[in-house]
Amino acid sequence: MWAKRIIPKFICLICYAVPYIFTGFRIAELLKNPSATWFYGLETAAPFYWQYFGIMCGGVILLVIILYIGLGQVKEEKKEKWIFRPMLFLYWLLCAAPATLFLFITYKYFLPQIPISSTNVTITPVPYKSASTSEFADYDVMLLQINIICLVVVKWMIKLEATKLGLSLLREAGQEFFSLYDIAEMINLLLVVDLFSDWLWSWTIAVSVVVSMLKYMPAPARSDEDFGKIRLNIYFSMLFQDLPFLLIRLVLMANYGQKPSEIIYVLKNGLYVVWYIVQLCFLDCRCSNKGNRVLSTGNLDTVDW
C-alpha cells in the first residue's frame, strides 16, 4: 500500500525536475564560450549561472513538495469537487511552460548576441551568429517533446494514486498517445527553416504548443451525469489544441503547401472539432431533458447545472 502512495509521488517529482535540468544544460551548451567560462547573451560567468540554476531547480522542487503535502491533507470529498488538476497545472505553470519558452527565447534573443569569433569582440560593429538562429535543432525538438511526455506521466501518476491499476487505466493511458503525437508533429514544424526564421510563425507555433498542454488540466468527470466537468473537458480539448492546430495547419497549407502525408493531421483536428461540437449538442439535449424531468417532479436540487 505504501508503494502506491510513494512511488507515484516520487515519479512526479522527477518529472518536475526534468524540464529544468535538460533545458538548463542545453542553454548552457548553446551560449557558452569556447572555454566554457562565460555565457553570451546571459552575460554571466559560468559559476554564477550554475548557482542560479541550482537555486531555481531546488526552489521549484521544494515548492512542489510543500504543495504535495498540503494537497494530501485535503479530504477526498473536497477533491471530487475540484474542476482542475492542481498538480498538473503547477507542472505546466512552473516547469513545462517556462522551460519551453526560455529555450525558444534563447534561440530568438540570446543566440544572436554570440560573437562569431572571440578574436572579433573588439571590432565595432561586432559580428554576431545570426545564422545560428535560422534553424531549430533536432535535439531541442526532443526536449520540447519530453516536456509534454512528463506532463502526461504526471497525469497518469495522479490517476494511479487515486485508482486501482487495471485494464481501464492502461487503456486510457494508451489513448493519450494520439494527442501526444499531434502535439509532437506541431513541434516538428519548428524544424522547417522558413517557419522558424519567420518571427510571427515561429512564435505562433511555440505558443500554440505551450497552450495545448492546458487540455489536460480539467478534472475528469466522475460519472456520465457530471455534465459540468464533461463540458469543461470538451471545451479545453477543442479550444486549446484541436481548433488552434486546425487553423494553423490550414493557413500553412494555403501559404506553404502541404505534403500528402501531413493531410492526416488536418483531418484529425477538423474531425475532432466537429465531434466536440456534436458532443456539446448532445450534452445540451441531455441537460434539457433532465431539467424537464426534474421540473415535472419539482426537485431542482438533483440537477448538475
Side-chain angles (χ1 to χ4, degrees):
M1 193 68 180
W2 65 269
K4 185 181 178 181
R5 295 195 304 268
I6 300 300
I7 293 178
K9 288 183 171 65
F10 181 71
I11 294 176
C12 286
L13 289 178
I14 293 176
C15 290
Y16 271 81
V18 163
Y20 280 109
I21 293 175
F22 280 83
T23 304
F25 277 91
R26 178 57 176 166
I27 291 172
E29 181 183 354
L30 290 170
L31 300 181
K32 68 183 180 181
N33 67 347
S35 61
T37 59
W38 182 263
F39 293 126
Y40 291 110
L42 298 177
E43 299 302 327
T44 183
F48 290 104
Y49 171 81
W50 293 118
Q51 288 176 13
Y52 298 147
F53 176 68
I55 292 172
M56 180 175 61
C57 289
V60 170
I61 296 300
L62 179 61
L63 177 61
V64 170
I65 292 174
I66 294 173
L67 292 172
Y68 244 125
I69 295 173
L71 292 172
Q73 307 305 314
V74 179
K75 295 181 179 180
E76 289 297 328
E77 295 79 14
K78 292 185 177 180
K79 289 182 179 180
E80 291 181 0
K81 297 180 181 180
W82 289 350
I83 60 175
F84 294 105
R85 297 181 174 99
M87 297 313 300
L88 275 180
F89 180 74
L90 289 173
Y91 172 83
W92 177 82
L93 182 66
L94 299 177
C95 301
T100 299
L101 293 177
F102 198 57
L103 179 62
F104 197 75
I105 291 171
T106 298
Y107 266 91
K108 287 298 181 180
Y109 179 73
F110 294 128
L111 270 182
Q113 301 183 41
I114 301 179
I116 292 176
S117 171
S118 59
T119 60
N120 290 334
V121 294
T122 58
I123 299 176
T124 304
V126 177
Y128 292 117
K129 281 187 177 179
S130 57
S132 65
T133 64
S134 63
E135 295 184 17
F136 204 60
D138 290 333
Y139 183 77
D140 300 304
V141 168
M142 183 189 71
L143 292 183
L144 299 187
Q145 293 173 352
I146 288 175
N147 292 346
I148 306 291
I149 292 173
C150 286
L151 174 70
V152 177
V153 172
V154 171
K155 177 183 176 181
W156 292 346
M157 292 302 104
I158 294 173
K159 286 185 176 181
L160 180 61
E161 193 175 357
T163 60
K164 293 182 179 180
L165 179 62
L167 290 178
S168 60
L169 181 61
L170 294 176
R171 183 170 56 251
E172 186 177 352
Q175 293 172 354
E176 300 284 2
F177 282 101
F178 197 33
S179 294
L180 276 176
Y181 193 74
D182 191 24
I183 299 174
E185 284 300 317
M186 181 61 65
I187 295 174
N188 286 339
L189 291 176
L190 295 173
L191 293 173
V192 181
V193 176
D194 291 340
L195 296 181
F196 187 72
S197 58
D198 185 282
W199 188 91
L200 178 60
W201 273 119
S202 60
W203 274 106
T204 299
I205 294 170
V207 171
S208 69
V209 168
V210 172
V211 171
S212 68
M213 301 182 201
L214 290 172
K215 69 159 289 182
Y216 298 102
M217 300 302 134
R222 298 286 180 175
S223 67
D224 292 339
E225 302 299 318
D226 195 349
F227 298 136
K229 288 183 179 179
I230 294 174
R231 186 181 285 109
L232 189 65
N233 276 272
I234 293 173
Y235 276 127
F236 268 61
S237 295
M238 180 173 64
L239 297 179
F240 291 135
Q241 181 178 355
D242 286 290
L243 185 58
F245 282 16
L246 175 64
L247 296 176
I248 290 173
R249 284 168 170 150
L250 287 176
V251 176
L252 287 176
M253 184 187 298
N255 286 275
Y256 295 94
Q258 191 85 1
K259 297 178 182 178
S261 60
E262 296 174 346
I263 297 296
I264 184 65
Y265 304 113
V266 177
L267 292 176
K268 178 264 180 187
N269 296 136
L271 291 175
Y272 265 60
V273 169
V274 173
W275 176 234
Y276 290 141
I277 294 174
V278 171
Q279 289 184 77
L280 290 173
C281 293
F282 275 112
L283 280 175
D284 289 339
C285 291
R286 289 186 63 187
C287 287
S288 299
N289 292 335
K290 186 175 181 180
N292 291 334
R293 290 197 302 270
V294 173
L295 287 173
S296 64
T297 61
N299 185 9
L300 296 177
D301 293 333
T302 60
V303 183
D304 181 12
W305 300 102

